[in-house]
Amino acid sequence: KMYTVNDMSDLVKRIQIRNVLELAYTYHKKGEISLANKCFLKESTLSQHEDAMFLDLLDEENLKKSIVECIVNATIKSFDDVFNPIFYENLSPKLEADHLKYFDFEPFYEVIVSAFTGLKPIHEGGIKLYHLGSGIGTAIFGACMIADLETAVGIEISEHKYNISLRAKEK
């Protein structure tokens, strides 16, 4: 039988929620996940999403991988909530759907986490990210959801793509 969150008793749910929130706090405090990642894990847990509710907290070997998977799924949902409507509103001969939605979030997550792991800000102001040829802003948006950045700037020459990115920013 496949178990769901509904099959869990209220006490088991409360214990799992408490434990995952405590784990998110600890991972963030140790610098293993960003503040944004902590928030996505917290959101998944409080909304009792299956990924968070069935994290095996005793399986230390696979726990980090499971947490990253949970965070990536929550991040992708937020990403899609912002960009999917924009992708389909802006189909035109100039900008086809395949061209707009080339962004694959999971590999991007791994690259950004690897790039920023252990990175210390050059000065007190924090980490700044500049993206030349940022298109409609998917990579900038994604990086902000993954890493603790002080500044993230996208630079795009195409006026059409720039205008689409402004719509995403509003959301």
Side-chain angles (χ1 to χ4, degrees):
K1 177 185 176 189
M2 189 72 151
Y3 291 99
T4 66
V5 172
N6 293 333
D7 296 324
M8 299 171 93
S9 72
D10 286 342
L11 178 61
V12 170
K13 286 180 191 177
R14 285 195 301 271
I15 291 169
Q16 181 72 356
I17 289 169
R18 185 200 68 215
N19 289 340
V20 174
L21 292 177
E22 193 173 287
L23 186 72
Y25 172 80
T26 302
Y27 271 42
H28 178 255
K29 190 174 180 179
K30 288 182 183 178
E32 294 185 30
I33 61 174
S34 69
L35 179 60
N37 283 188
K38 176 185 162 192
C39 291
F40 282 116
L41 186 54
K42 181 179 174 183
E43 179 184 328
S44 281
T45 305
L46 293 177
S47 64
Q48 297 184 12
H49 191 274
E50 303 276 332
D51 286 349
M53 296 305 290
F54 286 106
L55 279 174
D56 185 353
L57 303 177
L58 299 177
D59 182 5
E60 290 184 30
E61 188 175 310
N62 293 311
L63 183 58
K64 180 74 176 205
K65 181 182 175 206
S66 298
I67 287 173
V68 167
E69 188 177 304
C70 181
I71 291 168
V72 167
N73 289 340
T75 307
I76 289 170
K77 182 188 178 317
S78 292
F79 182 87
D80 286 345
D81 288 348
V82 170
F83 283 99
N84 278 347
I86 292 169
F87 290 143
Y88 298 109
E89 288 169 10
N90 289 285
L91 295 181
S92 70
K94 284 183 171 182
L95 217 52
E96 295 298 325
D98 291 341
H99 180 69
L100 266 176
K101 197 168 183 177
Y102 68 91
F103 192 76
D104 188 2
F105 197 85
E106 290 182 56
F108 179 75
Y109 179 90
E110 296 297 326
V111 168
I112 293 295
V113 168
S114 296
F116 290 130
T117 298
L119 184 63
K120 302 287 184 210
I122 294 171
H123 56 80
E124 284 185 33
I127 299 170
K128 294 178 168 71
L129 174 67
Y130 293 90
H131 182 208
L132 299 174
S134 60
I136 63 171
T138 53
I140 290 290
F141 184 84
C144 289
M145 292 191 314
I146 297 167
D148 294 328
L149 303 174
E150 177 199 326
T151 304
V153 177
I155 301 166
E156 176 56 53
I157 195 168
S158 164
E159 187 176 344
H160 183 67
K161 290 178 185 177
Y162 171 75
N163 288 332
I164 293 171
S165 73
L166 291 179
R167 300 223 341 258
K169 183 180 173 185
E170 291 170 6
K171 290 186 173 248

PDB file of all heavy atoms in Angstrom, residues 107-121 127 129 143 146-147 149:
ATOM      1  N   PRO A 107      19.496  20.910 -13.045  1.00  0.00           N
ATOM      2  CA  PRO A 107      20.949  21.063 -13.234  1.00  0.00           C
ATOM      3  C   PRO A 107      21.428  22.462 -12.833  1.00  0.00           C
ATOM      4  O   PRO A 107      22.523  22.626 -12.300  1.00  0.00           O
ATOM      5  CB  PRO A 107      21.168  20.828 -14.724  1.00  0.00           C
ATOM      6  CG  PRO A 107      19.923  20.256 -15.247  1.00  0.00           C
ATOM      7  CD  PRO A 107      18.827  20.566 -14.282  1.00  0.00           C
ATOM      8  N   PHE A 108      20.598  23.471 -13.084  1.00  0.00           N
ATOM      9  CA  PHE A 108      20.937  24.839 -12.716  1.00  0.00           C
ATOM     10  C   PHE A 108      21.118  24.947 -11.202  1.00  0.00           C
ATOM     11  O   PHE A 108      22.048  25.587 -10.720  1.00  0.00           O
ATOM     12  CB  PHE A 108      19.845  25.794 -13.194  1.00  0.00           C
ATOM     13  CG  PHE A 108      20.097  27.232 -12.841  1.00  0.00           C
ATOM     14  CD1 PHE A 108      21.044  27.963 -13.533  1.00  0.00           C
ATOM     15  CD2 PHE A 108      19.397  27.845 -11.824  1.00  0.00           C
ATOM     16  CE1 PHE A 108      21.293  29.290 -13.210  1.00  0.00           C
ATOM     17  CE2 PHE A 108      19.641  29.165 -11.486  1.00  0.00           C
ATOM     18  CZ  PHE A 108      20.589  29.886 -12.186  1.00  0.00           C
ATOM     19  N   TYR A 109      20.234  24.307 -10.454  1.00  0.00           N
ATOM     20  CA  TYR A 109      20.332  24.312  -8.991  1.00  0.00           C
ATOM     21  C   TYR A 109      21.696  23.786  -8.548  1.00  0.00           C
ATOM     22  O   TYR A 109      22.362  24.401  -7.717  1.00  0.00           O
ATOM     23  CB  TYR A 109      19.207  23.453  -8.393  1.00  0.00           C
ATOM     24  CG  TYR A 109      19.249  23.376  -6.882  1.00  0.00           C
ATOM     25  CD1 TYR A 109      18.565  24.311  -6.117  1.00  0.00           C
ATOM     26  CD2 TYR A 109      19.976  22.399  -6.225  1.00  0.00           C
ATOM     27  CE1 TYR A 109      18.607  24.271  -4.734  1.00  0.00           C
ATOM     28  CE2 TYR A 109      20.019  22.348  -4.840  1.00  0.00           C
ATOM     29  CZ  TYR A 109      19.331  23.275  -4.099  1.00  0.00           C
ATOM     30  OH  TYR A 109      19.381  23.238  -2.737  1.00  0.00           O
ATOM     31  N   GLU A 110      22.103  22.661  -9.116  1.00  0.00           N
ATOM     32  CA  GLU A 110      23.389  22.058  -8.742  1.00  0.00           C
ATOM     33  C   GLU A 110      24.560  22.996  -9.060  1.00  0.00           C
ATOM     34  O   GLU A 110      25.494  23.121  -8.277  1.00  0.00           O
ATOM     35  CB  GLU A 110      23.587  20.719  -9.463  1.00  0.00           C
ATOM     36  CG  GLU A 110      22.571  19.662  -9.084  1.00  0.00           C
ATOM     37  CD  GLU A 110      22.632  19.265  -7.621  1.00  0.00           C
ATOM     38  OE1 GLU A 110      23.740  19.256  -7.040  1.00  0.00           O
ATOM     39  OE2 GLU A 110      21.568  18.968  -7.047  1.00  0.00           O
ATOM     40  N   VAL A 111      24.504  23.658 -10.210  1.00  0.00           N
ATOM     41  CA  VAL A 111      25.584  24.572 -10.611  1.00  0.00           C
ATOM     42  C   VAL A 111      25.671  25.755  -9.651  1.00  0.00           C
ATOM     43  O   VAL A 111      26.757  26.101  -9.176  1.00  0.00           O
ATOM     44  CB  VAL A 111      25.374  25.069 -12.063  1.00  0.00           C
ATOM     45  CG1 VAL A 111      26.294  26.230 -12.387  1.00  0.00           C
ATOM     46  CG2 VAL A 111      25.569  23.927 -13.039  1.00  0.00           C
ATOM     47  N   ILE A 112      24.542  26.360  -9.344  1.00  0.00           N
ATOM     48  CA  ILE A 112      24.550  27.532  -8.454  1.00  0.00           C
ATOM     49  C   ILE A 112      25.011  27.144  -7.053  1.00  0.00           C
ATOM     50  O   ILE A 112      25.838  27.832  -6.445  1.00  0.00           O
ATOM     51  CB  ILE A 112      23.156  28.210  -8.404  1.00  0.00           C
ATOM     52  CG1 ILE A 112      22.821  28.837  -9.757  1.00  0.00           C
ATOM     53  CG2 ILE A 112      23.089  29.253  -7.299  1.00  0.00           C
ATOM     54  CD1 ILE A 112      23.724  29.978 -10.170  1.00  0.00           C
ATOM     55  N   VAL A 113      24.508  26.037  -6.537  1.00  0.00           N
ATOM     56  CA  VAL A 113      24.925  25.601  -5.199  1.00  0.00           C
ATOM     57  C   VAL A 113      26.431  25.350  -5.188  1.00  0.00           C
ATOM     58  O   VAL A 113      27.140  25.778  -4.278  1.00  0.00           O
ATOM     59  CB  VAL A 113      24.132  24.349  -4.750  1.00  0.00           C
ATOM     60  CG1 VAL A 113      24.761  23.722  -3.517  1.00  0.00           C
ATOM     61  CG2 VAL A 113      22.685  24.720  -4.468  1.00  0.00           C
ATOM     62  N   SER A 114      26.947  24.672  -6.219  1.00  0.00           N
ATOM     63  CA  SER A 114      28.389  24.407  -6.292  1.00  0.00           C
ATOM     64  C   SER A 114      29.194  25.705  -6.398  1.00  0.00           C
ATOM     65  O   SER A 114      30.239  25.849  -5.766  1.00  0.00           O
ATOM     66  CB  SER A 114      28.710  23.525  -7.496  1.00  0.00           C
ATOM     67  OG  SER A 114      28.115  22.269  -7.349  1.00  0.00           O
ATOM     68  N   ALA A 115      28.688  26.639  -7.189  1.00  0.00           N
ATOM     69  CA  ALA A 115      29.409  27.900  -7.399  1.00  0.00           C
ATOM     70  C   ALA A 115      29.490  28.731  -6.122  1.00  0.00           C
ATOM     71  O   ALA A 115      30.507  29.375  -5.857  1.00  0.00           O
ATOM     72  CB  ALA A 115      28.746  28.708  -8.508  1.00  0.00           C
ATOM     73  N   PHE A 116      28.433  28.721  -5.321  1.00  0.00           N
ATOM     74  CA  PHE A 116      28.393  29.582  -4.143  1.00  0.00           C
ATOM     75  C   PHE A 116      28.799  28.886  -2.850  1.00  0.00           C
ATOM     76  O   PHE A 116      28.950  29.539  -1.829  1.00  0.00           O
ATOM     77  CB  PHE A 116      27.007  30.201  -3.981  1.00  0.00           C
ATOM     78  CG  PHE A 116      26.694  31.222  -5.035  1.00  0.00           C
ATOM     79  CD1 PHE A 116      25.511  31.165  -5.744  1.00  0.00           C
ATOM     80  CD2 PHE A 116      27.588  32.239  -5.328  1.00  0.00           C
ATOM     81  CE1 PHE A 116      25.228  32.100  -6.714  1.00  0.00           C
ATOM     82  CE2 PHE A 116      27.311  33.179  -6.296  1.00  0.00           C
ATOM     83  CZ  PHE A 116      26.128  33.116  -6.996  1.00  0.00           C
ATOM     84  N   THR A 117      28.987  27.569  -2.879  1.00  0.00           N
ATOM     85  CA  THR A 117      29.367  26.859  -1.660  1.00  0.00           C
ATOM     86  C   THR A 117      30.728  27.347  -1.172  1.00  0.00           C
ATOM     87  O   THR A 117      31.703  27.327  -1.908  1.00  0.00           O
ATOM     88  CB  THR A 117      29.404  25.333  -1.890  1.00  0.00           C
ATOM     89  OG1 THR A 117      28.089  24.914  -2.242  1.00  0.00           O
ATOM     90  CG2 THR A 117      29.859  24.599  -0.645  1.00  0.00           C
ATOM     91  N   GLY A 118      30.739  27.807   0.053  1.00  0.00           N
ATOM     92  CA  GLY A 118      31.985  28.267   0.659  1.00  0.00           C
ATOM     93  C   GLY A 118      32.461  29.617   0.168  1.00  0.00           C
ATOM     94  O   GLY A 118      33.507  30.095   0.573  1.00  0.00           O
ATOM     95  N   LEU A 119      31.706  30.249  -0.724  1.00  0.00           N
ATOM     96  CA  LEU A 119      32.108  31.544  -1.265  1.00  0.00           C
ATOM     97  C   LEU A 119      31.883  32.630  -0.228  1.00  0.00           C
ATOM     98  O   LEU A 119      30.793  32.770   0.315  1.00  0.00           O
ATOM     99  CB  LEU A 119      31.306  31.859  -2.530  1.00  0.00           C
ATOM    100  CG  LEU A 119      31.658  33.120  -3.290  1.00  0.00           C
ATOM    101  CD1 LEU A 119      33.092  33.041  -3.805  1.00  0.00           C
ATOM    102  CD2 LEU A 119      30.707  33.322  -4.445  1.00  0.00           C
ATOM    103  N   LYS A 120      32.906  33.355   0.071  1.00  0.00           N
ATOM    104  CA  LYS A 120      32.810  34.462   1.020  1.00  0.00           C
ATOM    105  C   LYS A 120      32.706  35.761   0.228  1.00  0.00           C
ATOM    106  O   LYS A 120      33.399  35.944  -0.769  1.00  0.00           O
ATOM    107  CB  LYS A 120      34.059  34.527   1.910  1.00  0.00           C
ATOM    108  CG  LYS A 120      34.315  33.261   2.689  1.00  0.00           C
ATOM    109  CD  LYS A 120      33.326  33.106   3.807  1.00  0.00           C
ATOM    110  CE  LYS A 120      33.679  31.881   4.630  1.00  0.00           C
ATOM    111  NZ  LYS A 120      32.578  31.249   5.230  1.00  0.00           N
ATOM    112  N   PRO A 121      31.831  36.636   0.654  1.00  0.00           N
ATOM    113  CA  PRO A 121      31.730  37.930  -0.023  1.00  0.00           C
ATOM    114  C   PRO A 121      33.070  38.660  -0.006  1.00  0.00           C
ATOM    115  O   PRO A 121      33.798  38.605   0.977  1.00  0.00           O
ATOM    116  CB  PRO A 121      30.690  38.687   0.800  1.00  0.00           C
ATOM    117  CG  PRO A 121      29.926  37.629   1.523  1.00  0.00           C
ATOM    118  CD  PRO A 121      30.901  36.503   1.754  1.00  0.00           C
ATOM    119  N   ILE A 127      27.260  39.045  -1.826  1.00  0.00           N
ATOM    120  CA  ILE A 127      27.520  38.488  -3.150  1.00  0.00           C
ATOM    121  C   ILE A 127      26.631  39.168  -4.186  1.00  0.00           C
ATOM    122  O   ILE A 127      25.432  39.329  -3.984  1.00  0.00           O
ATOM    123  CB  ILE A 127      27.270  36.972  -3.144  1.00  0.00           C
ATOM    124  CG1 ILE A 127      28.202  36.287  -2.151  1.00  0.00           C
ATOM    125  CG2 ILE A 127      27.445  36.388  -4.542  1.00  0.00           C
ATOM    126  CD1 ILE A 127      27.875  34.837  -1.896  1.00  0.00           C
ATOM    127  N   LEU A 129      25.512  39.151  -8.357  1.00  0.00           N
ATOM    128  CA  LEU A 129      25.468  38.337  -9.566  1.00  0.00           C
ATOM    129  C   LEU A 129      25.010  39.215 -10.725  1.00  0.00           C
ATOM    130  O   LEU A 129      23.983  39.896 -10.626  1.00  0.00           O
ATOM    131  CB  LEU A 129      24.497  37.163  -9.379  1.00  0.00           C
ATOM    132  CG  LEU A 129      24.236  36.295 -10.608  1.00  0.00           C
ATOM    133  CD1 LEU A 129      25.499  35.526 -10.999  1.00  0.00           C
ATOM    134  CD2 LEU A 129      23.097  35.330 -10.342  1.00  0.00           C
ATOM    135  N   ALA A 143      18.525  31.881  -9.503  1.00  0.00           N
ATOM    136  CA  ALA A 143      19.673  32.086  -8.615  1.00  0.00           C
ATOM    137  C   ALA A 143      19.237  32.749  -7.311  1.00  0.00           C
ATOM    138  O   ALA A 143      19.725  32.388  -6.230  1.00  0.00           O
ATOM    139  CB  ALA A 143      20.735  32.939  -9.307  1.00  0.00           C
ATOM    140  N   ILE A 146      17.825  30.256  -4.957  1.00  0.00           N
ATOM    141  CA  ILE A 146      18.754  29.238  -4.480  1.00  0.00           C
ATOM    142  C   ILE A 146      19.770  29.801  -3.507  1.00  0.00           C
ATOM    143  O   ILE A 146      20.070  29.188  -2.486  1.00  0.00           O
ATOM    144  CB  ILE A 146      19.487  28.588  -5.669  1.00  0.00           C
ATOM    145  CG1 ILE A 146      18.500  27.866  -6.567  1.00  0.00           C
ATOM    146  CG2 ILE A 146      20.563  27.641  -5.184  1.00  0.00           C
ATOM    147  CD1 ILE A 146      19.074  27.471  -7.906  1.00  0.00           C
ATOM    148  N   ALA A 147      20.323  30.954  -3.816  1.00  0.00           N
ATOM    149  CA  ALA A 147      21.454  31.485  -3.050  1.00  0.00           C
ATOM    150  C   ALA A 147      21.082  32.788  -2.354  1.00  0.00           C
ATOM    151  O   ALA A 147      20.157  33.486  -2.768  1.00  0.00           O
ATOM    152  CB  ALA A 147      22.640  31.712  -3.984  1.00  0.00           C
ATOM    153  N   LEU A 149      21.823  36.193  -2.177  1.00  0.00           N
ATOM    154  CA  LEU A 149      22.505  37.222  -2.955  1.00  0.00           C
ATOM    155  C   LEU A 149      22.090  38.595  -2.461  1.00  0.00           C
ATOM    156  O   LEU A 149      20.924  38.828  -2.179  1.00  0.00           O
ATOM    157  CB  LEU A 149      22.142  37.102  -4.438  1.00  0.00           C
ATOM    158  CG  LEU A 149      22.417  35.759  -5.117  1.00  0.00           C
ATOM    159  CD1 LEU A 149      21.873  35.764  -6.534  1.00  0.00           C
ATOM    160  CD2 LEU A 149      23.897  35.460  -5.112  1.00  0.00           C
TER     161      LEU A 149
END
